[in-house]
Amino acid sequence: MKPFRYERATDAEHAVATVAAHPGAAFLGAGTNLVDHLKLGITAPDLLVDVSRLPLDEVAETADGGLRVGANVRNADLAAHPAVRARYPVLSQALLSGASGQLRNLATTGGNLLQRTRCAYFQDPSTPCNKRDPGTGCAALEGWTRYHAILGASSHCVAVHPSDMAVAMAALDAVVVTLGPDGERRIPVTDFHRLPGDAPHRDTVLRHGELITAVELPGLPWATRSRYRKVRDRASYAFALVSVAVALDLEDDGRTVREARIALGGIAHKPWRAERAEQALRGLPATEENCRTAADAETADAHPLRDNAFKIPLVRNTLAAVVRDLVPETPSGSLEGAR
Amino acid sequence: MTSTSETSGSGRAVGADLERADARAKVAGQAPYAFEHPVENPCYAHAVLSSVPRGRITSVDTGAACREDGVITVLTYENAERLASTDDAELAILQEPEVAFHGQIVGAVIAETPEAARHAASLVRITYATEPHESELKPDENELYRPDSANGGADTDSMLGDLDAAMEAAAADPEAVALDETYVTAMTHCNPMEPHATIAVWQGDELTLYDSSQSVHGHRDTLAEVFGIDRGRVHMICPYVGGGFGSKGEPHAHAVLAALTARAVPGRPVKLALTRQQMFTLVGYRTPTYQRVRLAAGADGRLTGIGMDAVEQTSRIKEFAEQSANPTRTMYAAEHRRTTHRLAHLDVPVPSWMRAPGECPGMFGPEVAMDELAERLGMDPVELRIRNDAPVAPETGKPFSSRNLVACLNEGARRFGWHGRDPRPGVRRDGRWLVGTGVASSAYPVNRVPGSVAAVQYVGEGRYRVDIGAADLGTGAWTVLAQIAADRLDVPLDAVELRIGDTALPKATVAGGSSGTAMWGSAIVAAARTFRERHGNDPSPGDHAQAETPGNPHAERFAMHAFGAQFVEVRVDADTGEIRVPRLLGVFAAGRIINPRTARSQLVGGMTMGLSMALHEETVTDPRYGLLVNHDLANYHVTANADVRSIEAHWIDEDDPYVNPLGIKGIGEIGITGTAAAVVNAVRHATGVRVREVPVMLDKVLNGMS
């Protein structure tokens, strides 16, 4: 790794001013992703400003009945937080499905949002990659694409965002709170990550020197009926092939969807808020068939690559399975049981 | 049965369930691995690897690298010392501008810190004139050739009777079955926890290496030859190894690089550790295989013909022919037989040993085919295997020294609860899970490797030093060799001071081919006997004796193999195709077990690695670049705890008086054989989807179910 200077930030304003004034500077959180990148030569900052010890580690109630999560709250702590477990099970489940116990003990809320794609080509400087080295091309486009995007990609980049936590937050309409040289900004998490377009080197809308200080979860009483399902070959410590976050608000009949929040992971450059699917389900009974139709509406524009066409039926089946779990009386799957 | 084996001393230690001798030191971090040995004033080397799969270096620019703080020097083919022997092209690094695969060593930076060396390595600019390359095994497109022999000296081909005629006859008989399918196994990598690392120290023309190795003497001999120095002037020290699985069985290029770089900085030791990514191209791997399996069977299930044609890859610069057709030669009786190995020379890293080379992939296709055959015959797959058990070695006609495949199948079936199994595929459902069970046989040959020597010395006060340059990869050699020595000297276990892992000790053969405990243990048995013969039971301090592993007078009379049976329950998510394994149960017949605890660990480890082969492990080649794309542990998945609930390894008592004086067959590798087939067979039973390639990832199942 390239030698760099290291500073430990003592307050957020100073950290922001330092990084903003220094084009080659970067914030260092827990380092679970950035340190890998330093070693692999994916990025080479000449100054790291360590924000991991800033006092941004509180989970606090907000006026609208939601929670404000400090950027330095560790993933393990957030997953175990009683209010999160009780009011936002989808978020707790998403956090627990990510990485490993050791990593979750280190990784922070802000850092989780900012982790970068695990596209194997992005992580190998011997190959072309527009995200790592703009203008060099995309090796993944015609390469190994099992873990790549089916929605929202471009000819410049087909990588996916790796976070589980962010998918749950997208479903919950969370808001990212930042501090920049010009003061505070509040960015809906669904607008926080970008689609690649012709500038895949930019993962998010953050400006240089802008620091995440918190994530706010709006009050959403019916998010108690929510669930995260991560689909992967290996049962632990693997990135999602597809993941689905769902929160359901049901009519009094316990069956008809008043409102649905659906977000998908593992299929796009950002956590994918599935508004078409939500729209398709609204007002209908939460049946398996309706879920499948809703998923198909969402993936109607999908462009699968060589290795990932299976993600289309996988999204369909997984959404149906998650809703089945959330609405237990829904008739079970299409395959007949014989035992 | 007449037994020619000796009685096992007092029998106090052998067979006892003892904790590992090195367990506490390892857990406490006090067992030094190769990179950790303290040396005076070390510097650090980092390898520079090629970024093209085939071509020639046209220019080297080390300017930027040399200007970095802490950089001592940069080596490339332009300035590296000439090696005495370049016969082994894998080891002949930095000698010529030619590049033979993506990820080959083309340079090295030596620096004061590992960080500086690694950073400067990224600044070495090398340009290449590339040449057309071929880096993907595609049997229909590659030019295939017939190697002279396969790994371990296995015959390339074998033929008995007329398989084609047997297949035609079976196809023409409405009662019989002729099965002809192709099975595929993926390229896989050993990935031990401890990366390959070497410390090289030159003192004049004397070379000392601390190297993570399965064979200190074997590595020493090879490196002495490469550097053209007397073996006696090369010393290798390796008391502990953090896993090898075969990838540390032969020296690889990084060991040569460590020694080469140390030559460039006289008076200073050089420490070199490969990164995980570098391990994917430099320390061997298992070739992908394509296996055409043919089975001809009558309505009674008895095989009339067996065929196995294996197609594999090797590197253009060095041949390694994985002996994947080998197990077919031993498993089942049939009159008409044919096995072949064919290779493609590709511009790829050099393949090598990975746990049960040949035997492991070669037990996949045939054992899935047996399951398919059972289904087509409407016969229980355990019964089908029992019916085809071979009374004598099918190709040679030799009797087996012992063969307990049937006993393993029966015992496994009993323990697993196999009887009464509903054979229909895809009909058992438990909530979201489709449930199924599968079975496959396991087998592994008893390999004999001559040349190990053990020494016994009385050090006084009732204590004995036992010396042999053996290796403990985490397998338990520290523990079981001491057990053997204690019993054969008829002393308590704690009276034995064992020393291994050093070329200063008597020569030992490689920890490979599941032969270590048998070969080294036999040398210890012989040395203990010689000691007692010479010095009696009341020796004086300093009395010593040594002896070599004796030849086996029964070697030519018998076929010698371990056998086993593996039973698997899988649950497949009906929505997603995700596969989880509630139960994996193996029963093995592998001769005498020296220590049930380390033995169980070996067998469970092998079965886990087989499960990993079945479900997860796959090195992906990008043929455009000749690149192994998923070269880290985030993208190359190894099965972890959450993937399997219960793993049981059992064994049946087997007294084989012919294999060696200890009655040991070897257990390091048999556990991985057959597992993948059993899993795939269970997936079929659960879902109705027959997958013929591993790893079985969820999309292969999902596509079949929808």
Side-chain angles (χ1 to χ4, degrees):
Chain A
M1 77 180 71
K2 188 178 128 188
F4 55 85
R5 283 194 302 121
Y6 171 88
E7 280 182 22
R8 185 175 295 172
T10 50
D11 68 84
E13 289 76 12
H14 188 252
V16 166
T18 305
V19 172
H22 195 118
F27 294 116
L28 174 69
T32 59
N33 195 207
L34 179 58
V35 173
D36 282 352
H37 289 178
L38 298 177
K39 289 198 264 187
L40 292 170
I42 294 170
T43 184
D46 50 25
L47 170 64
L48 287 184
V49 177
D50 183 348
V51 294
S52 67
R53 288 170 175 80
L54 293 178
L56 303 170
D57 53 357
E58 299 267 303
V59 178
E61 297 286 340
T62 60
D64 76 337
L67 293 175
R68 180 183 169 97
V69 180
N72 278 341
V73 174
R74 308 283 171 175
N75 288 176
D77 294 335
L78 187 58
H81 195 282
V84 174
R85 291 180 54 160
R87 283 143 62 180
Y88 307 100
V90 64
L91 178 57
S92 182
Q93 291 163 8
L95 283 159
L96 288 176
S97 73
S100 65
Q102 293 91 333
L103 285 166
R104 292 194 297 271
N105 286 340
L106 262 184
T108 64
T109 304
N112 188 315
L113 287 173
L114 292 176
Q115 64 176 309
R116 309 202 68 190
T117 185
R118 297 319 197 278
C119 171
Y121 298 98
F122 170 71
Q123 298 194 109
D124 184 340
S126 81
T127 64
C129 173
N130 290 321
K131 185 182 280 296
R132 183 179 61 269
D133 299 310
T136 54
C138 174
L141 198 56
E142 291 176 5
W144 180 54
T145 48
R146 182 173 169 77
Y147 285 88
H148 288 71
I150 57 171
L151 285 170
S154 74
S155 60
H156 301 279
C157 181
V158 292
V160 298
H161 195 263
S163 172
D164 295 295
M165 181 195 80
V167 177
M169 287 180 172
L172 294 170
D173 271 338
V175 174
V176 182
V177 184
T178 69
L179 183 66
D182 305 324
E184 188 173 289
R185 270 213 293 171
R186 297 173 57 78
I187 309 163
V189 74
T190 47
D191 297 335
F192 181 79
H193 297 94
R194 296 178 66 258
L195 289 178
D198 60 1
H201 59 288
R202 294 182 54 215
D203 292 351
T204 71
V205 299
L206 281 186
R207 300 164 191 146
H208 182 70
E210 195 171 4
L211 177 71
I212 298 174
T213 55
V215 175
E216 288 188 3
L217 305 172
L220 191 69
W222 49 268
T224 51
R225 191 191 295 274
S226 68
R227 193 173 181 87
Y228 188 76
R229 176 78 183 274
K230 180 175 185 176
V231 180
R232 44 186 165 173
D233 294 306
R234 185 164 67 178
S236 67
Y237 200 23
F239 291 97
L241 289 164
V242 159
S243 71
V244 176
V246 180
L248 277 186
D249 185 18
L250 298 179
E251 300 286 0
D252 293 344
D253 64 1
R255 212 163 160 259
T256 306
V257 176
R258 187 181 292 141
E259 201 175 332
R261 299 279 188 79
I262 303 171
L264 306 174
I267 60 156
H269 195 259
K270 59 184 287 187
W272 188 265
R273 181 66 180 268
E275 287 171 356
R276 288 191 197 179
E278 293 173 6
Q279 177 64 33
L281 269 181
R282 202 166 290 141
L284 294 182
T287 63
E288 183 139 351
E289 193 51 42
N290 288 337
C291 289
R292 291 174 184 277
T293 305
D296 288 346
E298 195 62 51
T299 56
D301 298 336
H303 286 286
L305 302 160
R306 187 190 73 188
D307 303 321
N308 67 7
F310 70 92
K311 290 187 177 183
I312 295 172
L314 194 56
V315 166
R316 184 190 305 138
N317 290 1
T318 309
L319 178 63
V322 171
V323 172
R324 188 195 309 144
D325 287 341
L326 286 172
V327 188
E329 55 269 45
T330 305
S332 68
S334 57
L335 285 150
E336 289 304 307
R339 180 178 267 185
Chain B
M1 187 186 294
T2 55
S3 170
T4 57
S5 75
E6 304 164 52
T7 53
S8 57
S10 68
R12 282 172 300 195
V14 166
D17 183 3
L18 299 174
E19 76 174 32
R20 289 169 193 277
D22 50 340
R24 286 161 197 274
K26 280 188 169 170
V27 170
Q30 290 165 346
Y33 292 101
F35 196 79
E36 299 170 335
H37 287 273
V39 288
E40 199 69 32
N41 191 25
C43 47
Y44 298 84
H46 195 89
V48 179
L49 306 191
S50 65
S51 57
V52 301
R54 190 176 187 181
R56 186 182 171 84
I57 296 171
T58 52
S59 76
V60 175
D61 176 2
T62 62
C66 288
R67 284 191 294 275
E68 280 294 309
D69 282 349
V71 170
I72 298 167
T73 188
V74 179
L75 291 188
T76 68
Y77 83 94
E78 291 179 341
N79 60 346
E81 183 177 325
R82 297 303 98 176
L83 296 167
S85 168
T86 54
D87 293 346
D88 184 331
E90 180 189 355
L91 303 180
I93 51 169
L94 308 188
Q95 302 297 296
E96 293 177 342
E98 275 70 29
V99 170
F101 57 88
H102 191 129
Q104 190 176 22
I105 293 174
V106 291
V109 174
I110 310 168
E112 296 292 343
T113 66
E115 292 82 7
R118 185 170 185 172
H119 175 55
S122 73
L123 301 176
V124 175
R125 294 284 165 258
I126 296 178
T127 51
Y128 305 89
T130 57
E131 292 165 27
H133 71 276
E134 191 179 18
S135 58
E136 194 175 29
L137 182 63
K138 289 185 165 180
D140 296 337
E141 295 176 21
N142 310 132
E143 190 177 326
L144 302 177
Y145 77 98
R146 182 185 183 284
D148 291 338
S149 67
N151 178 49
D155 290 337
T156 308
D157 298 340
S158 67
M159 206 172 297
L160 270 88
D162 186 342
L163 178 62
D164 290 338
M167 289 294 289
E168 279 167 30
D173 177 352
E175 304 276 294
V177 174
L179 183 144
D180 185 348
E181 296 287 354
T182 297
Y183 303 87
V184 183
T185 63
M187 178 192 287
T188 50
H189 278 75
C190 291
N191 275 314
M193 297 265 280
E194 182 203 13
H196 294 63
T198 309
I199 303 174
V201 189
W202 287 96
Q203 287 160 306
D205 65 346
E206 194 113 356
L207 173 63
T208 302
L209 294 159
Y210 302 87
D211 182 55
S212 188
S213 165
Q214 295 175 221
S215 172
V216 288
H217 289 94
H219 286 205
R220 175 201 67 179
D221 293 355
T222 303
L223 284 159
E225 193 181 326
V226 167
F227 283 91
I229 48 180
D230 187 82
R231 286 175 184 182
R233 294 186 173 279
V234 181
H235 315 285
M236 186 169 284
I237 298 163
C238 180
Y240 303 103
V241 182
F245 308 114
S247 70
K248 296 170 180 171
E250 293 186 308
H252 296 294
H254 64 281
V256 176
L257 185 65
L260 256 184
T261 49
R263 281 277 253 232
V265 284
R268 295 192 69 179
V270 168
K271 288 190 168 196
L272 170 78
L274 295 181
T275 65
R276 181 63 56 180
Q277 288 85 354
Q278 291 175 335
M279 286 165 64
F280 275 78
T281 59
L282 293 175
V283 300
Y285 60 93
R286 194 190 312 283
T287 172
T289 71
Y290 286 78
Q291 312 174 7
R292 181 186 181 195
V293 179
R294 284 180 283 175
L295 299 176
D300 60 356
R302 288 188 200 286
L303 291 167
T304 54
I306 300 180
M308 164 68 145
D309 300 300
V311 176
E312 305 161 344
Q313 74 185 38
T314 188
S315 164
R316 207 179 290 280
I317 58 168
K318 182 176 176 180
E319 181 180 283
F320 180 83
E322 179 120 2
Q323 70 275 33
S324 300
N326 219 35
T328 298
R329 297 167 181 170
T330 310
M331 280 310 299
Y332 300 113
E335 188 182 347
H336 303 284
R337 322 179 63 91
R338 176 187 137 106
T339 63
T340 65
H341 296 91
R342 295 294 179 270
L343 298 182
H345 265 147
L346 300 179
D347 305 296
V348 293
V350 181
S352 181
W353 299 337
M354 179 169 178
R355 204 171 198 166
E359 313 296 334
C360 168
M363 286 295 281
F364 175 67
E367 288 298 309
V368 178
M370 287 294 279
D371 199 66
E372 298 202 52
L373 177 62
E375 203 176 304
R376 287 172 62 174
L377 288 164
M379 186 176 288
D380 182 82
V382 171
E383 176 59 26
L384 176 68
R385 287 172 171 85
I386 291 172
R387 219 167 264 199
N388 286 289
D389 189 40
V392 294
E395 291 199 351
T396 64
K398 288 181 186 177
F400 288 96
S401 61
S402 57
R403 176 177 170 120
N404 282 300
L405 172 64
V406 171
C408 290
L409 286 162
N410 283 328
E411 176 66 4
R414 185 186 71 76
R415 286 179 175 273
F416 189 80
W418 181 267
H419 297 296
R421 171 184 185 258
D422 179 349
R424 293 175 300 154
V427 298
R428 284 150 301 277
R429 180 103 184 218
D430 179 8
R432 65 191 244 213
W433 299 104
L434 300 167
V435 183
T437 53
V439 63
S441 300
S442 295
Y444 194 82
V446 177
N447 289 313
R448 284 180 304 278
V449 191
S452 289
V453 177
V456 173
Q457 183 177 5
Y458 183 62
V459 295
E461 296 179 1
R463 304 186 64 76
Y464 293 80
R465 177 169 295 153
V466 176
D467 288 345
I468 183 164
D472 187 330
L473 323 187
T475 47
W478 275 113
T479 315
V480 299
L481 296 184
Q483 289 176 268
I484 292 167
D487 283 7
R488 295 307 173 126
L489 288 166
D490 200 12
V491 298
L493 184 62
D494 61 9
V496 173
E497 296 173 9
L498 178 72
R499 297 194 301 186
I500 64 170
D502 193 324
T503 51
L505 304 171
K507 182 177 177 180
T509 51
V510 65
S514 298
S515 68
T517 306
M519 295 300 108
W520 310 327
S522 295
I524 289 171
V525 168
R529 185 179 55 223
T530 305
F531 182 93
R532 289 293 183 221
E533 284 169 2
R534 201 173 290 168
H535 306 295
N537 289 329
D538 189 18
S540 305
D543 284 349
H544 67 276
Q546 70 175 42
E548 187 170 342
T549 305
N552 186 339
H554 313 295
E556 295 310 310
R557 255 177 73 206
F558 292 105
M560 300 180 182
H561 299 260
F563 292 92
Q566 302 207 36
F567 293 79
V568 183
E569 178 182 338
V570 304
R571 295 164 86 83
V572 180
D573 188 297
D575 298 302
T576 64
E578 290 168 290
I579 303 164
R580 305 291 181 253
V581 179
R583 289 198 292 156
L584 190 54
L585 186 150
V587 177
F588 302 94
R592 175 175 292 155
I593 299 303
I594 305 297
N595 180 334
R597 188 176 317 198
T598 53
R600 182 167 286 113
S601 174
Q602 280 282 79
L603 294 168
V604 165
M607 292 163 72
T608 307
M609 209 163 169
L611 177 62
S612 201
M613 166 189 178
L615 298 181
H616 299 130
E617 291 191 44
E618 176 179 31
T619 309
V620 178
T621 299
D622 188 324
R624 297 170 300 168
Y625 312 116
L627 173 71
L628 305 181
V629 193
N630 57 337
H631 53 186
D632 61 38
L633 294 179
N635 281 304
Y636 180 96
H637 287 171
V638 176
T639 293
N641 288 345
D643 294 298
V644 55
R645 186 63 57 89
S646 156
I647 309 183
E648 289 181 34
H650 303 278
W651 47 87
I652 60 171
D653 291 330
E654 190 176 66
D655 178 18
D656 188 324
Y658 306 111
V659 281
N660 48 58
L662 286 157
I664 293 172
K665 283 185 172 177
I667 51 171
E669 291 161 280
I670 188 169
I672 196 178
T673 67
T675 327
V679 173
V680 163
N681 295 341
V683 168
R684 161 68 176 176
H685 187 234
T687 64
V689 180
R690 174 64 71 183
V691 180
R692 296 192 179 88
E693 51 188 284
V694 281
V696 190
M697 291 181 178
L698 60 85
D699 46 315
K700 290 177 190 164
V701 180
L702 202 57
N703 289 342
M705 289 196 301
S706 56

